[in-house]
Amino acid sequence: MKLLVINGPNLNMLGIREPTVYGKQDFAALQDYIRTSAAELGHDVTLFQSNHEGEIVDIIQAAYGVYDGIIINPAAYTHTSVAILDALKAVGLPTVEVHLSDIHSREEFRHHSYVSMAAVKTICGLGFEGYRKALEYFE
Ligand code: DQA
């Protein structure tokens, strides 16, 4: 399947950013992991990362008619962005939401996800492996 993988703000800082929460591996390692997993599962993936909400909205809109599904870690926008939720609803593509950490066992403000309302599945707390599980959903 042709899949778009979107990573939101600060995920490009993996490895430096709060390693006790997000691990010591950097963003390049995450991208390699996703590419390798996708190849093993026979998916064609495009990887996109942005720190900007509007750019994430734009890439979701542009996915319409091009991709079979979306995998998204909206990062902090998970908890704030009605715009990303609306974009996902607008294109109607099957979407799997991923979080490296277990958002439900962290601060209360992380417990609510707008994006979950448009997602067919949410995977959290599995680190990098969560992205592989999301890719497996589309098999
Ligand atoms: C995150 C969890 C979010 O609460 C946080 O803002 C992130 C990363 C995760 O992958 O665990 O930036 O989405």
Side-chain angles (χ1 to χ4, degrees):
M1 287 188 122
K2 204 168 149 61
L3 302 172
L4 175 64
V5 181
I6 302 172
N7 280 299
N10 300 306
L11 289 166
N12 57 312
M13 295 289 285
L14 285 180
I16 298 166
R17 171 188 194 202
E18 300 178 82
T20 54
V21 178
Y22 299 113
K24 287 184 187 149
Q25 288 188 281
D26 66 11
F27 187 60
L30 175 60
Q31 288 183 300
D32 284 349
Y33 177 83
I34 296 169
R35 280 199 196 95
T36 303
S37 300
E40 284 168 7
L41 296 167
H43 294 310
D44 172 3
V45 283
T46 301
L47 305 186
F48 177 81
Q49 190 275 330
S50 177
N51 294 323
H52 304 278
E53 185 175 21
E55 282 183 4
I56 296 171
V57 169
D58 286 344
I59 197 93
I60 293 168
Q61 289 184 6
Y64 182 73
V66 177
Y67 291 95
D68 302 311
I70 295 174
I71 294 169
I72 185 167
N73 182 347
Y77 290 138
T78 306
H79 320 295
T80 62
S81 183
V82 177
I84 291 174
L85 167 64
D86 284 351
L88 291 169
K89 282 178 146 179
V91 299
L93 290 167
T95 298
V96 177
E97 175 187 8
V98 177
H99 299 283
L100 293 162
S101 65
D102 178 9
I103 55 174
H104 300 291
S105 64
R106 298 182 62 195
E107 305 96 320
E108 197 160 342
F109 68 85
R110 296 185 201 274
H111 295 184
H112 178 261
S113 165
Y114 283 101
V115 169
S116 286
M117 295 178 211
V120 290
K121 192 179 171 72
T122 298
I123 299 162
C124 57
L126 298 181
F128 283 14
E129 199 194 333
Y131 290 83
R132 191 182 173 96
K133 296 258 182 255
L135 290 162
E136 285 170 358
Y137 173 85
F138 289 102
E139 279 190 293

